[in-house]
Amino acid sequence: MVNWILITVITLFLLWTIFIYNRLVALRNEVKNAWHQIDVQLKRRHDLIPNLVTVVKGYMEFERDTLERVTAARTRAISAVKIRDKAVAEDMLTQALERLFAVMENYPVLKSNENVMQLQEEFTSTENRIAFARQLYNDLVANYMTKREVFPDNIIASLFAFRGAEYFFAEKADRSRPAADISIGTK
Amino acid sequence: MPLTFIDIEKKKTWRIGVLLIFLIFLYFCTMIVLVQGVFLIVPNRIIFTEPFFIFTNPEYLLIVIGISFVLAVIHFYFSAFRSVMIVMENINASPPDPEDGIHRRLMNIVDEIHVVTGDKRKIKCVVIPSLSMNALAVADFRGEAVIAVTEGLVSRLTRPQLEAVLAHEAYHIISGDCLETSVAASLFGMYASALERMMDSGEEGSMGFHPVFLLFWLLVKFSNLLNMFISREREYRADAASVRMTRNPLAMAEALHLISRNWTGSGFISSGIEMLCFVSPRITSLDESEGWWADLMSTHPPIRKRMEILLKMARVSISKLEAKVNAETETFVSDTPEVVYYALDPKHQWQGPYTYTELASISWLTPNTWISSGNEQTIMKASENKLMSAIFTERLNLALNSAGKEVSGFICPTCRQPLSDVSYEKTKVHQCNFCGGILIENVKVPRILARNEKCFTTRVKSLAKAVIMDNQRSIAIKKLKGAGVKTKPSILCPKCKNPMFRTFYSLAYLIEIDKCGVCNTTWFDKDELEMLQYIIENKITPKVDVFDPDQFS
């Protein structure tokens, strides 16, 4: 009788372990996948920049260093490897691009150019995608970390050495700021 | 709310199961009534010696259950697996046009939604050629999911607003709400339409006593109620999910505000699928009321309530939002000063006034042409003017980019010159560089009418008012006198060379246009398109005093 109880308890314990382990693995893979999604979107932006630079170059003779700053930031962002470096480099790239678009406002001819309008739309879309991908990534990381740290699961997590994931830090002008600022709607 | 959307989807399957069971029950009831009816009517003393009641005969009951089960499963299969197709046929939607700037934005936004949901589900999008503002989502068992948006919605909302609406619809799809409602819509939509048809044909009330139809009717009503009750809850949930995805409650509130203010209740959607929409496509008195009866009877929660919740999230008061939207519309209506140019043509005659775009399309304009801008009264070479030199850069670009592509194969019906492809309100049209007439395929007309990026000059505005007044008067005269209609000499269609007929765009918008009935194109003479856009956007109606005899002199 005692044997039977023991066997049942052990089997249940094993099953529970397997369940928790599998769930942790699934979550970890989701986090990884989300990270690749960010990469895809960042790459999309990197690919768009040369196009923008070539189109704009002809019109903006006097804004050489704004353009150069964008190109430099792009190179730096491409070569960054660590998550934190990447976040910082991409942040710089975003700022450089914002400056460029602000400067472009002064050139009405440029603004009404069909190609530039298309590119601008592509950039807006890409910025959104990056923000969304990052949001998804951070959400998944939060989910994974919670599962990894709550009580019974953390035993399994430490047993099989599930390492923590790193958040992709939000830049200063994030979409998630409280929307009390009315100007958001007209972006 | 769970993080991974797969969890929610699992929970929803039981509801679809309930639907199937309900359907089996429905068929079962129908069959019972039918069989019992037949046995009561037909003199069946030959087979049965005593009065026949089906509930007392288990073997017959089993057969009936079997048949109704098979029927229900067949019905379920056909409508549940084809619901996307059924609904799409119903609303006459077409995929977005990648050449069109606004449609490309829509496609981009749909891609963004894919990113934010983690690419769990492939969602297609289509555009409904309607000026109203609404969106709907459909899904079926084959895994196909479609978001349909009206031309009006795509064009009139800003980017964040459109994003919020699409996220709302995407949530419906991902959560499985949509699969359930789509299936219900195509299951019971069939009954509803069949019933409506029967009601129409049987005017004498001969149907009234027939038990089968009564049962039918009751069941359809009951299933509608069931659906409506669930519907209100899930709109709130989808709103919340949309905010969670876009992190922008204000855009959602703005979108709701815009839609509720101007463009609710267009009857483009047939009965049975209204619960798939973003806002209810019909106007009923229950729309804005609360309480259990309203909850039960209408498919959508009151927009006011939805906005209240969203604004609370955004910490913005309703008056602030109102003020902002008003400010936007005002800046939009405001006058734009028209800068005009005069140019010296090759025969040394001053021509003009031209607007900038008109000037840009004049073929004899070279960098050495003398021009003067009407405001400054100074004369200079075109190449010296900064804006003008941009024209030439542009021309060169065009020639390089697409050699020969900018000239469409069509000839202007009045000037006999080739029309050129230009982008008007972000869609491609064929315009004559000389008379300013525009040839548009009919499918593109609602798109252009829905968009209001174009600003109108005072000239067009006053012209539009005068023209519709005049046309209203002539229609009234024609009606009073019944006089013979004088048709103007018609022009030939640039596409198929058949004569085009001159007609009003519609009796509500009295602008004359030329239509080709053969190849479905419309020719707008100069200003006609702008006038039409102006009166539709600003809802201008002619005011003719019928009792004023002077008007008809």
Side-chain angles (χ1 to χ4, degrees):
Chain A
M1 186 62 196
V2 179
N3 275 351
W4 280 113
I5 291 174
L6 215 68
I7 289 171
T8 325
V9 166
I10 290 174
T11 329
L12 278 181
F13 178 76
L14 274 179
L15 281 178
W16 176 76
T17 315
I18 292 170
F19 174 73
I20 299 287
Y21 178 83
N22 284 351
R23 197 169 64 174
L24 280 172
V25 170
L27 286 175
R28 193 174 55 185
N29 284 343
E30 267 181 18
V31 169
K32 266 187 202 157
N33 182 36
W35 173 249
H36 289 308
Q37 277 302 313
I38 301 184
D39 257 1
V40 169
Q41 301 310 337
L42 288 177
K43 183 157 185 310
R44 191 185 141 92
R45 178 160 77 169
H46 297 158
D47 293 346
L48 278 173
I49 288 170
N51 282 344
L52 181 72
V53 171
T54 35
V55 171
V56 170
K57 221 182 224 162
Y59 295 91
M60 297 165 77
E61 281 299 314
F62 312 105
E63 307 285 347
R64 282 246 168 257
D65 51 294
T66 318
L67 281 176
E68 264 159 27
R69 204 170 301 160
V70 171
T71 327
R74 173 178 179 261
T75 338
R76 216 189 121 184
I78 290 176
S79 56
V81 184
K82 273 192 205 155
I83 292 192
R84 197 152 299 168
D85 290 350
K86 213 165 202 165
V88 172
E90 291 296 340
D91 199 12
M92 274 185 59
L93 181 56
T94 310
Q95 277 169 18
L97 278 173
E98 263 166 23
R99 226 193 102 81
L100 177 63
F101 281 117
V103 170
M104 273 164 64
E105 291 291 309
N106 303 333
Y107 294 77
V109 182
L110 196 57
K111 255 173 38 185
S112 61
N113 182 315
E114 191 85 358
N115 281 338
V116 174
M117 268 157 70
Q118 265 182 40
L119 270 172
Q120 218 153 6
E121 161 62 26
E122 288 303 313
F123 266 101
T124 320
S125 178
T126 313
E127 289 298 332
N128 281 352
R129 284 174 209 213
I130 293 171
F132 284 151
R134 175 191 287 142
Q135 180 183 318
L136 183 78
Y137 173 77
N138 282 344
D139 281 356
L140 287 172
V141 168
N143 194 26
Y144 170 63
M145 297 291 262
T146 317
K147 285 277 151 58
R148 193 176 144 265
E149 285 161 22
V150 289
F151 165 57
D153 301 27
N154 63 356
I155 304 169
I156 311 282
S158 57
L159 204 66
F160 294 100
F162 278 92
R163 264 181 290 149
E166 217 173 327
Y167 286 100
F168 198 107
F169 281 109
E171 59 200 78
K172 280 161 217 151
D174 195 45
R175 301 169 54 88
S176 61
R177 71 185 149 176
D181 178 5
I182 290 230
S183 67
I184 281 178
T186 53
K187 193 173 170 185
Chain B
M1 199 169 59
L3 246 166
T4 52
F5 291 101
I6 303 171
D7 303 341
I8 322 171
E9 202 155 351
K10 278 179 196 155
K11 280 182 205 157
K12 287 289 155 55
T13 13
W14 69 268
R15 279 210 187 149
I16 294 166
V18 168
L19 268 178
L20 179 62
I21 291 166
F22 182 76
L23 193 71
I24 293 171
F25 174 71
L26 192 138
Y27 269 104
F28 173 71
C29 291
T30 322
M31 288 287 292
I32 291 268
V33 171
L34 264 178
V35 170
Q36 189 66 65
V38 166
F39 279 116
L40 279 183
I41 294 161
V42 176
N44 49 25
R45 300 285 155 154
I46 313 145
I47 318 168
F48 305 104
T49 45
E50 50 195 88
F52 175 83
F53 287 106
I54 193 155
F55 286 102
T56 54
N57 291 277
E59 60 267 39
Y60 283 95
L61 202 61
L62 264 179
I63 293 171
V64 167
I65 289 174
I67 293 174
S68 56
F69 181 78
V70 170
L71 274 181
V73 167
I74 291 172
H75 183 176
F76 186 79
Y77 179 84
F78 271 100
S79 40
F81 282 79
R82 290 178 63 243
S83 52
V84 166
M85 254 165 70
I86 292 172
V87 175
M88 287 298 119
E89 271 168 26
N90 225 326
I91 56 178
N92 184 26
S94 58
D97 176 6
E99 272 189 9
D100 185 303
I102 301 271
H103 283 189
R104 207 164 37 230
R105 191 179 72 179
L106 174 72
M107 288 156 82
N108 268 339
I109 292 176
V110 172
D111 284 348
E112 286 161 33
I113 299 290
H114 276 133
V115 172
V116 78
T117 54
D119 226 352
K120 293 271 154 48
R121 198 70 199 270
K122 282 275 166 254
I123 301 171
K124 278 201 293 187
C125 81
V126 292
V127 183
I128 310 167
S130 159
L131 285 191
S132 63
M133 287 168 89
N134 217 329
L136 60 99
V138 201
D140 65 17
F141 270 110
R142 284 187 303 185
E144 230 179 300
V146 173
I147 295 179
V149 280
T150 60
E151 209 65 76
L153 193 86
V154 185
S155 307
R156 291 203 183 92
L157 294 188
T158 62
R159 205 165 201 292
Q161 289 164 0
L162 190 59
E163 210 161 75
V165 173
L166 285 174
H168 171 109
E169 294 303 330
Y171 173 78
H172 275 320
I173 288 175
I174 291 162
S175 69
D177 287 347
C178 189
L179 183 62
E180 186 190 331
T181 24
S182 313
V183 169
S186 50
L187 280 181
F188 300 114
M190 250 154 93
Y191 277 127
S193 54
L195 200 73
E196 267 166 27
R197 234 171 288 142
M198 272 190 277
M199 293 286 203
D200 288 346
S201 60
E203 276 171 8
E204 294 88 61
S206 55
M207 278 344 150
F209 59 89
H210 210 298
V212 178
F213 294 119
L214 193 68
L215 188 78
F216 243 36
W217 186 80
L218 273 178
L219 285 173
V220 168
K221 284 289 160 215
F222 179 70
S223 69
N224 275 354
L225 283 186
L226 191 89
N227 246 306
M228 284 168 171
F229 188 60
I230 312 166
S231 223
R232 276 204 150 178
E233 285 303 303
R234 45 169 89 133
E235 293 304 319
Y236 291 124
R237 258 193 296 140
D239 280 353
S242 159
V243 171
R244 196 184 144 273
M245 289 189 223
T246 61
R247 311 262 153 113
N248 195 347
L250 197 62
M252 188 71 178
E254 281 167 6
L256 280 172
H257 183 76
L258 270 174
I259 294 170
S260 66
R261 249 190 10 178
N262 288 320
W263 301 91
T264 42
S266 56
F268 74 96
I269 282 162
S270 65
S271 65
I273 56 174
E274 61 263 77
M275 59 263 202
L276 302 173
C277 294
F278 179 65
V279 291
S280 177
R282 297 154 185 245
I283 297 180
T284 61
S285 56
L286 287 170
D287 275 352
E288 292 300 312
S289 48
E290 287 169 52
W292 67 271
W293 177 245
D295 271 350
L296 201 65
M297 289 303 290
S298 74
T299 50
H300 286 73
I303 290 182
R304 187 167 43 82
K305 192 83 188 295
R306 281 167 82 179
M307 275 174 68
E308 253 169 42
I309 296 173
L310 290 165
L311 289 174
K312 211 178 271 171
M313 283 190 218
R315 296 189 193 84
V316 175
S317 69
I318 180 87
S319 51
K320 232 175 175 177
L321 179 84
E322 186 101 16
K324 190 198 160 202
V325 175
N326 280 342
E328 265 174 23
T329 28
E330 266 162 32
T331 50
F332 161 66
V333 203
S334 68
D335 259 334
T336 44
E338 192 176 14
V339 184
V340 291
Y341 296 94
Y342 296 88
L344 199 65
D345 72 6
K347 290 173 192 156
H348 298 283
Q349 302 265 317
W350 279 102
Q351 303 286 345
Y354 297 113
T355 62
Y356 178 71
T357 41
E358 279 168 348
L359 199 62
S361 58
I362 295 172
S363 56
W364 48 258
L365 185 84
T366 65
N368 290 323
T369 310
W370 292 98
I371 57 161
S372 96
S373 88
N375 306 353
E376 291 160 19
Q377 298 295 340
T378 48
I379 297 174
M380 56 170 118
K381 278 191 172 167
S383 53
E384 288 165 22
N385 187 321
K386 237 184 180 180
L387 280 170
M388 289 302 123
S389 54
I391 294 178
F392 303 115
T393 337
E394 194 79 336
R395 276 192 191 174
L396 199 67
N397 276 347
L398 265 177
L400 288 177
N401 285 348
S402 50
K405 208 183 168 189
E406 73 270 28
V407 176
S408 69
F410 310 126
I411 306 289
C412 170
T414 42
C415 312
R416 314 266 168 238
Q417 295 298 325
L419 300 174
S420 58
D421 288 349
V422 293
S423 157
Y424 187 89
E425 297 262 15
K426 299 230 170 116
T427 201
K428 210 171 89 178
V429 299
H430 314 295
Q431 188 172 30
C432 175
N433 293 339
F434 301 92
C435 67
I438 301 179
L439 181 77
I440 308 179
E441 286 85 6
N442 281 357
V443 283
K444 289 181 182 165
V445 175
R447 264 183 229 170
I448 290 172
L449 293 180
R451 293 172 194 172
N452 38 26
E453 279 176 4
K454 187 138 183 105
C455 291
F456 304 105
T457 58
T458 335
R459 189 179 65 85
V460 169
K461 286 179 190 172
S462 41
L463 198 61
K465 280 176 195 156
V467 164
I468 55 171
M469 278 284 279
D470 202 47
N471 285 339
Q472 181 70 41
R473 210 169 295 158
S474 63
I475 278 192
I477 291 171
K478 216 185 276 173
K479 269 186 190 158
L480 287 179
K481 290 183 180 167
V485 192
K486 246 196 266 169
T487 45
K488 288 182 183 174
S490 57
I491 52 173
L492 297 182
C493 170
K495 242 183 177 170
C496 62
K497 307 291 175 226
N498 285 307
M500 300 180 104
F501 52 95
R502 195 157 178 80
T503 162
F504 290 120
Y505 179 72
S506 79
L507 282 180
Y509 304 117
L510 294 170
I511 297 290
E512 280 185 299
I513 53 169
D514 295 284
K515 269 191 170 172
C516 174
V518 181
C519 58
N520 285 325
T521 48
T522 307
W523 172 261
F524 292 88
D525 282 330
K526 183 177 162 54
D527 297 334
E528 282 175 354
L529 182 60
E530 282 183 33
M531 289 192 300
L532 184 63
Q533 276 183 293
Y534 174 65
I535 63 169
I536 290 182
E537 274 163 28
N538 294 294
K539 305 190 184 71
I540 291 170
T541 45
K543 288 182 192 70
V544 178
D545 190 357
V546 213
F547 301 105
D548 182 6
D550 292 346
Q551 299 215 347
F552 301 104
S553 54

